[in-house]
């Protein structure tokens, strides 16, 4: 019988966490039919035995379990494993889960309810905003967008899938409950992806999706990350940069940034302005303490209006990542609150008179 929801679980040497992960599958309060599709990617530890142990418990509780895998010398990678787990499953909806993470009991129920209303969206949870194990989508939409890149270690298959999802008109809907505990540890597969690889994909997506619509723009941040963004752009995109803006008086006093590595003569000199003197659109480039990954963001309208004024119609386009996700600016957005655990952040521009929200960190985050 076809299941309503297939939980997609790639596994590779997950012995330390797998019991807790599979217990969270058993504890789901979803009332529809549910199956677990596991693909064991050449694990050399006791992951296989743990999966077999839990197969009995899950099937006794009405959760059908499909187990695939291989025992070759080397793993094929997360993208391959997820594609195989999807292919062997039957559910109308796909709930992605990593073997070192733990689902809250209400996760499948709440995301399934949301997915029925929004068939072409990827659903994420409060906390780790657009991290792969929080995703939930219809099988039809996965087939339209996918499969995952199977390049193996070092390939950000989840980010590439997400960008393709956005290119094909997909949306992002957040379920405002904490539905998953995301475990961050030294053996996590995410550490095999170089920061420079992530950066390159994000900048290229920015150039593909936002910059073609703009004749000129300002980079918000005249420091290291803003200059890095400028140097990472193609020559055509660099010529659209009319200024950097900042709040650092020392940078503003210098007056310009000279691109010393440019082959152009004379070398480009980009003005550095106080942010109140800069003109939109902006690309905001900030760095997260949690990950070290700089995040280029695109903002189309200047947040400059008198103190106490409100402009509820201003929109924020957060393009890198999690794609064109629309938010609202309120008051004077001089305080940028970056929330979320290791991985991709959520972003809020808030009135500085308001208390910033406190976001709990995922379990196991360092």
């Amino acid at each position: 019988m076809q299941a309503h929801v297939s939980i997609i679980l790639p596994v590779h040497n997950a012995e330390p966490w797998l019991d807790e992960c599979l217990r969270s599958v058993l504890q789901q309060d979803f009332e529809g039919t549910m199956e677990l599709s596991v693909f064991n990617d050449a694990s050399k530890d006791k992951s296989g035995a743990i999966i077999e142990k839990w197969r009995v418990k899950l099937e006794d509780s009405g959760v059908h379990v499909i187990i695939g895998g291989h025992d070759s010398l080397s793993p094929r990678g997360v993208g391959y494993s997820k594609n195989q787990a999807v292919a062997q499953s039957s559910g109308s909806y796909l709930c992605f889960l990593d073997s070192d993470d733990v689902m809250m009991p209400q996760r499948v129920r709440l995301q399934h309810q949301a997915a029925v209303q929004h068939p072409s969206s990827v659903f994420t949870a409060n906390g780790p905003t657009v991290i792969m194990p929080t995703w939930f989508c219809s099988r039809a939409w996965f087939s339209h967008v996918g499969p995952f890149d199977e390049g193996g270690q070092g390939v950000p298959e989840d980010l590439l899938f997400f960008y393709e999802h956005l290119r094909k008109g997909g949306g992002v809907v957040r379920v405002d409950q904490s539905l998953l505990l995301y475990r961050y540890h030294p053996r996590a597969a995410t550490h095999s992806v170089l920061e420079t690889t992530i950066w390159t994909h994000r900048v290229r997506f920015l150039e593909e999706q936002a910059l073609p619509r703009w004749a000129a723009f300002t980079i918000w941040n005249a420091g290291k990350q803003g200059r890095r963004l400028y140097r990472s752009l193609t020559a055509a995109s660099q010529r659209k940069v009319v200024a950097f803006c900042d709040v650092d008086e020392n940078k503003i006093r210098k007056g310009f940034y000279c691109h010393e590595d440019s082959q152009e003569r004379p070398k480009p000199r980009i003005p550095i302005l106080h942010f109140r003197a800069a003109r939109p659109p902006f690309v905001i480039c900030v760095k997260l303490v949690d990950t070290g990954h700089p995040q280029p963001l695109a903002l189309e309208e200047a947040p400059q209006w008198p103190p106490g004024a409100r402009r509820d119609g201003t929109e924020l386009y957060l393009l890198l990542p999690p794609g064109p996700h629309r938010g609202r600016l309120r008051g004077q957005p001089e305080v940028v609150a970056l929330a979320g655990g290791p991985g991709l952040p959520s972003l809020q521009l808030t009135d500085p008179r308001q208390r910033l929200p406190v976001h709990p960190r995922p379990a196991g985050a360092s």
Side-chain angles (χ1 to χ4, degrees):
M1 181 179 68
Q2 183 182 24
H4 285 104
V5 174
S6 296
I7 298 174
I8 304 302
L9 182 63
V11 173
H12 174 68
N13 290 345
E15 180 183 348
W17 316 284
L18 198 50
D19 275 310
E20 192 175 6
C21 174
L22 293 172
R23 183 177 296 108
S24 75
V25 175
L26 182 65
Q27 292 172 342
Q28 291 302 298
D29 63 9
F30 180 59
E31 294 183 354
T33 56
M34 188 171 66
E35 68 180 13
L36 174 67
S37 179
V38 184
F39 190 84
N40 189 353
D41 187 21
S43 294
K44 305 306 179 189
D45 61 3
K46 297 179 181 178
S47 291
I50 295 172
I51 293 166
E52 289 295 339
K53 176 186 71 176
W54 279 96
R55 180 214 286 262
V56 177
K57 296 180 181 181
L58 288 163
E59 293 197 334
D60 285 348
S61 297
V63 179
H64 181 51
V65 179
I66 309 107
I67 301 174
H70 66 99
D71 57 1
S72 60
L73 294 177
S74 300
R76 294 285 300 272
V78 180
Y80 174 81
S81 299
K82 286 189 285 199
N83 287 338
Q84 293 299 310
V86 170
Q88 70 189 16
S89 68
S90 67
S92 301
Y93 294 91
L94 306 176
C95 177
F96 290 92
L97 176 64
D98 284 355
S99 56
D100 51 1
D101 296 326
V102 178
M103 297 193 293
M104 299 295 99
Q106 69 272 27
R107 181 196 173 184
V108 172
R109 172 175 54 84
L110 292 177
Q111 288 193 308
H112 178 264
Q113 289 172 355
V116 171
Q117 302 298 319
H118 304 274
S120 61
S121 292
V122 162
F123 296 84
T124 70
N126 181 42
T129 307
V130 192
I131 297 177
M132 179 64 214
T134 71
W135 293 8
F136 189 110
C137 66
S138 70
R139 176 179 297 274
W141 186 251
F142 176 86
S143 299
H144 179 63
V145 175
F148 289 102
D149 187 295
E150 297 186 357
Q153 189 174 38
V155 174
E157 82 294 328
D158 49 358
L159 182 64
L160 297 179
F161 181 91
F162 187 66
Y163 283 168
E164 189 62 23
H165 162 76
L166 297 174
R167 290 185 184 102
K168 293 188 175 181
V172 182
V173 177
R174 191 174 91 166
V175 177
D176 288 320
Q177 282 91 0
S178 294
L179 302 182
L180 180 132
L181 296 178
Y182 177 82
R183 195 185 308 270
Y184 190 68
H185 58 89
R187 290 170 55 185
T190 187
H191 294 300
S192 71
V193 182
L194 298 177
E195 186 274 332
T196 52
T197 301
I198 298 290
W199 173 262
T200 298
H201 284 299
R202 288 175 177 165
V203 172
R204 293 299 163 252
F205 192 77
L206 176 70
E207 291 190 299
E208 172 193 323
Q209 296 294 315
L211 301 191
R213 298 185 283 111
W214 300 344
F217 65 95
T218 300
I219 295 178
W220 190 312
N221 185 348
K224 181 178 178 181
Q225 300 308 324
R227 298 194 302 269
R228 182 189 182 192
L229 174 62
Y230 177 86
R231 293 192 300 269
S232 300
L233 297 172
T234 62
S237 295
Q238 287 178 352
R239 287 190 286 270
K240 292 184 177 184
V241 179
V242 294
F244 290 88
C245 69
D246 212 295
V247 296
D248 188 324
E249 293 295 340
N250 292 327
K251 296 184 180 72
I252 296 167
R253 194 176 299 117
K254 181 178 179 181
F256 66 88
Y257 163 68
C258 181
H259 183 24
E260 297 290 351
D261 296 332
S262 174
Q263 301 301 312
E264 296 184 26
R265 295 293 182 274
K267 295 179 180 179
R269 286 191 169 197
I270 312 301
I272 301 176
L273 308 175
H274 189 277
F275 78 93
R276 293 190 183 279
R279 300 182 61 184
F282 298 102
V283 173
I284 306 175
C285 194
V286 297
K287 185 172 182 177
L288 295 185
V289 175
D290 281 345
T291 65
H293 290 328
Q295 309 288 337
L297 318 174
L299 180 63
E300 295 217 44
E301 188 171 339
Q304 301 174 27
W305 49 85
R310 294 191 179 272
R311 297 190 58 176
D312 292 334
T314 304
E315 290 186 330
L316 171 73
Y317 289 81
L318 180 58
L319 290 173
L320 291 180
H325 171 72
R326 293 171 183 246
R328 294 290 181 184
L329 306 183
R330 294 183 297 169
Q332 299 178 81
E334 297 176 18
V335 177
V336 179
L338 288 160
L344 311 185
S346 60
L347 181 141
Q348 297 175 321
L349 295 184
T350 67
D351 187 323
R353 294 165 297 183
Q354 298 175 350
R355 293 174 63 88
L356 294 181
V358 177
H359 295 269
R361 295 172 61 81
S366 58

